[in-house]
Amino acid sequence: MPTSWYQVISVILDQIQLYKPASILDIGIGFGKYGVLIRDMLEIPLERYHKNQWQVKIDGIEAFSDYRNPLHQYCYDQVYYDDVMNVIHNLPCYDIIMLIDVLEHFEKEEGFNLISSLLKYTAKCLIISTPLYPDVQKEYMGNRHEKHKSRWVITDFLEYDYSYKLVPIGNNAAQLITIFPKSNRQKIDLHADKILQINTHNKNKHHLTIGYILPHKKLTGGMKMLLEQMKHLRAREHHIIAIGKTGGENKILPDWYDITVDDEISIPRNESYLNHVNNCDVIIASWVSQIPELIGAKIPVVYWEQGHEWLFGDFDDLSENSPIRQHLIQCYSLPCFLIAVSPLIAKILKVRYNREAFVIPNGIDTDFYRPGHKPENGTILLVGNPFLRFKGFDIALKSLQKVWSYGRRFRVKWICQTEPKVRGINFPLDIIVKPSQVELAEHYRTTDIFLFTSWYEGFGMPPLEAMASGVPVVATQCGGIDSYAIPGENALFADPGDIDSLAAAIIYLLENKGARDILGKRGRETAMKFRFSEIVPLLENYLFSVVKTYNY
């Protein structure tokens, strides 16, 4: 239809106001409400009431000429009634281009071509709004362009420098994305070409003193992977020091993980790390905000990027100068060595910050996570924090409820850090809060299906733990999981948020033991490729190369 959700109008207008644009191109203007509202916002308060006084250039493109009405002629300087791809290359550059509820009318490949074309004519930003779940929509008033042809999610925009905001609207939501033209951000050269050519047969290796700056003691996937690294590097006779700001506590390491290190250094919150790290050969930062403080150290600083909401542009502020965005630019522009947990994370760092990162994936203990006896009672497992929106547990519950409504019977176990409030389900649900790591591994072993429904992930460790345990995986194609999961080969995939496809995959596995066995076997074979015996030497040699390059 030639209109869009009114609930997002104020957010879009606020965004436009921030940039104080001198020119705007509105694509798919429909009825023309944005022309009216932008004039009311940018012209009228400055006492430019009459059209001959207006100073902001507002042009529009509308593919369906029958939408023409007096608002078009009055509020817009020029309206082009044609397909956008026939017009855009003959137009000037605009401060802002608006693509409001238009992208879903294109096939995915056409949509990507459109975005790339528009960015060539955008000086400040391209503002996109697209529904999380487009309705089934065909022609409207004879307009064939109104047909919905695609559905877009946050991971579709990883090729761009963007910010993302979700505006819930009933059982749906509007996704707002601002994409910024490519900047000429300075490239940081830390002799990356030398680092990337790691000599795994270096005879001059020695034992390193490695300081890990830990961010907290909470049970998170990222923290768990840091502790695993420390444990396995120490097993290779490196000297491991845990360093943290604990507010007076002497203990740095958490109680929920069994690990021994060579030293723990507790630092008051108002004191700098720099007074405590120079006895190390190399420092590993665990959170991006630690980088600025560590740069003054006289030893190399390595940051292992595992991915987080901010890196995916999901911080609820669309403006180019948002505090979080500027903070990230500052941190990633500092001269530290970067490791990425997956090719996806490496790509994001390159696209957004012009930084090269060496990829070292998460490892897994395939003796600790191993197959076991399954009761075959239709148990489906969820693992993760219920209060992280990007984990998509609302999608998981809706998918499971749909399976239940189709008459299939099963039970669900949800292992989480904090007990969620769950409503509107009929299936049996066991919520298990903070089990020990030994208990977690046992829950995997006694599970029939593992369900993973994140919107995006830097790597996504729980599916790999399930695979190592011989459990078939149903997952969303959320980015980082592509490091090890292959649709139809060792896991069943659905698009993020696709409740129907997730439900269909669960039903298929519930009804097909043979398929469960095949996926479980192939998943275990996949996990064996990520054993710590494969991953830790890669990390070890990278650290040797960093120290050698830094001291060169």
Side-chain angles (χ1 to χ4, degrees):
M1 292 182 288
T3 186
S4 56
W5 282 327
Y6 66 86
Q7 292 93 334
V8 300
I9 291 175
S10 61
V11 183
I12 293 171
L13 293 179
D14 284 344
Q15 186 67 15
I16 293 170
Q17 177 74 279
L18 282 174
Y19 288 96
K20 298 183 173 21
S23 59
I24 296 173
L25 177 63
D26 182 8
I27 298 173
I29 62 178
F31 190 64
K33 67 173 175 283
Y34 279 103
V36 176
L37 293 170
I38 293 170
R39 291 295 182 197
D40 185 68
M41 179 178 68
L42 298 182
E43 307 281 13
I44 308 305
L46 299 176
E47 299 184 357
R48 300 195 293 259
Y49 188 82
H50 297 288
K51 186 167 184 172
N52 61 6
Q53 298 174 305
W54 292 345
Q55 296 181 13
V56 179
K57 178 181 177 61
I58 305 178
D59 290 344
I61 299 176
E62 176 51 61
F64 190 55
S65 60
D66 282 4
Y67 286 163
R68 187 193 310 255
N69 67 57
L71 291 178
H72 293 193
Q73 278 65 56
Y74 185 69
C75 295
Y76 293 83
D77 292 289
Q78 179 72 50
V79 177
Y80 302 90
Y81 295 98
D82 201 345
D83 185 282
V84 58
M85 296 303 289
N86 294 335
V87 176
I88 187 64
H89 299 296
N90 297 317
L91 296 182
C93 187
Y94 295 84
D95 284 343
I96 292 176
I97 295 181
M98 302 170 59
L99 199 64
I100 310 302
D101 292 322
V102 171
L103 198 54
E104 62 273 16
H105 299 294
F106 290 81
E107 300 288 356
K108 276 289 180 73
E109 185 175 351
E110 295 175 322
F112 287 126
N113 289 336
L114 174 61
I115 292 172
S116 297
S117 295
L118 295 180
L119 287 173
K120 296 175 183 177
Y121 298 89
T122 308
K124 294 185 176 180
C125 70
L126 168 63
I127 301 177
I128 296 174
S129 175
T130 187
L132 189 60
Y133 296 108
D135 291 331
V136 176
Q137 181 172 297
K138 297 185 179 180
E139 292 186 1
Y140 178 84
M141 291 177 54
N143 181 7
R144 61 180 177 83
H145 299 288
E146 289 288 3
K147 182 179 179 181
H148 286 166
K149 298 180 180 180
S150 60
R151 175 173 171 263
W152 298 72
V153 294
I154 187 170
T155 48
D156 287 319
F157 301 97
L158 297 180
E159 297 284 349
Y160 311 105
D161 183 7
Y162 71 95
S163 294
Y164 178 92
K165 182 181 180 71
L166 190 74
V167 180
I169 301 171
N171 293 323
N172 208 330
Q175 301 176 99
L176 296 180
I177 304 100
T178 52
I179 302 180
F180 308 101
K182 276 193 175 180
S183 67
N184 295 319
R185 201 160 284 136
Q186 181 180 1
K187 184 175 182 179
I188 305 297
D189 183 12
L190 293 177
H191 304 287
D193 54 335
K194 297 178 182 178
I195 299 294
L196 296 180
Q197 297 175 4
I198 293 176
N199 180 5
T200 56
H201 302 290
N202 186 349
K203 295 181 180 180
N204 297 317
K205 292 179 181 178
H206 59 283
H207 297 145
L208 297 172
T209 298
I210 306 169
Y212 271 82
I213 308 294
L214 299 181
H216 50 69
K217 294 193 288 185
K218 298 175 186 176
L219 174 54
T220 66
M223 184 66 173
K224 184 175 172 180
M225 288 301 103
L226 289 166
L227 297 171
E228 291 275 22
Q229 277 191 4
M230 296 164 67
K231 176 181 176 179
H232 285 87
L233 284 170
R234 189 171 186 269
R236 297 175 74 87
E237 300 185 359
H238 297 288
H239 190 84
I240 303 299
I241 302 175
I243 306 169
K245 296 185 177 182
T246 59
E249 293 183 47
N250 292 325
K251 187 171 175 57
I252 305 298
L253 299 169
D255 295 327
W256 51 265
Y257 187 85
D258 183 18
I259 184 173
T260 301
V261 297
D262 296 288
D263 197 6
E264 292 184 59
I265 300 177
S266 176
I267 303 173
R269 296 195 186 279
N270 60 352
E271 190 173 328
S272 172
Y273 291 116
L274 297 183
N275 298 328
H276 304 272
V277 299
N278 285 324
N279 290 331
C280 299
D281 294 307
V282 61
I283 283 292
I284 297 181
S286 58
W287 173 237
V288 64
S289 296
Q290 296 170 349
I291 298 174
E293 184 177 338
L294 293 169
I295 289 302
K298 298 177 181 178
I299 55 176
V301 175
V302 174
Y303 174 51
W304 183 37
E305 180 57 82
Q306 300 187 64
H308 49 84
E309 294 99 317
W310 291 359
L311 189 66
F312 283 86
D314 189 7
F315 42 80
D316 218 32
D317 189 332
L318 296 171
S319 64
E320 184 177 23
N321 295 318
S322 71
I324 292 176
R325 178 176 164 80
Q326 293 305 310
H327 176 65
L328 293 180
I329 291 172
Q330 176 204 9
C331 292
Y332 289 115
S333 297
L334 293 171
C336 68
F337 297 91
L338 291 179
I339 303 174
V341 75
S342 65
L344 176 78
I345 294 299
K347 180 174 75 172
I348 294 173
L349 292 171
K350 179 65 176 177
V351 168
R352 305 191 73 163
Y353 307 106
N354 198 21
R355 294 299 307 272
E356 300 287 347
F358 187 73
V359 176
I360 300 178
N362 287 332
I364 188 164
D365 186 336
T366 53
D367 294 324
F368 187 78
Y369 294 101
R370 63 186 185 277
H373 173 69
K374 292 184 173 29
E376 302 292 344
N377 58 359
T379 299
I380 300 173
L381 182 64
L382 307 174
V383 175
N385 189 335
F387 297 104
L388 294 176
R389 185 192 64 80
F390 77 91
K391 294 293 184 181
F393 285 111
D394 57 331
I395 301 300
L397 295 176
K398 289 176 183 177
S399 302
L400 292 165
Q401 181 60 34
K402 176 157 283 196
V403 174
W404 188 267
S405 71
Y406 288 153
R408 277 54 172 201
R409 293 298 174 254
F410 53 86
R411 61 191 295 262
V412 177
K413 291 191 291 187
W414 186 352
I415 295 174
C416 48
Q417 293 91 330
T418 306
E419 185 167 354
K421 296 179 181 178
V422 179
R423 299 183 180 89
I425 64 168
N426 301 113
F427 54 83
L429 172 63
D430 298 326
I431 296 174
I432 304 161
V433 178
K434 290 185 179 178
S436 70
Q437 294 301 294
V438 172
E439 291 170 328
L440 171 63
E442 184 61 26
H443 283 301
Y444 275 118
R445 280 192 285 276
T446 56
T447 291
D448 295 298
I449 300 170
F450 180 76
L451 179 61
F452 191 71
T453 53
S454 289
W455 290 96
Y456 54 84
E457 288 283 349
F459 185 84
M461 196 63 197
L464 189 60
E465 293 172 345
M467 287 181 174
S469 306
V471 179
V473 171
V474 174
T476 49
Q477 202 144 12
C478 52
I481 193 174
D482 293 344
S483 299
Y484 55 87
I486 303 171
E489 181 70 25
N490 58 8
L492 298 184
F493 270 25
D495 288 336
D498 189 343
I499 293 167
D500 290 338
S501 295
L502 288 166
I506 294 167
I507 290 171
Y508 174 73
L509 289 181
L510 285 173
E511 296 179 345
N512 290 273
K513 183 180 184 303
R516 295 200 303 272
D517 291 343
I518 290 172
L519 287 179
K521 180 176 180 292
R522 291 176 178 172
R524 175 69 180 176
E525 291 169 353
T526 298
M528 296 299 284
K529 300 174 184 177
F530 290 84
R531 288 173 294 177
F532 281 111
S533 59
E534 303 289 332
I535 302 302
V536 174
L538 186 64
L539 172 62
E540 180 185 53
N541 284 301
Y542 176 85
L543 295 177
F544 279 130
S545 297
V546 163
V547 171
K548 181 179 178 180
T549 299
Y550 187 84
N551 294 324
Y552 179 73

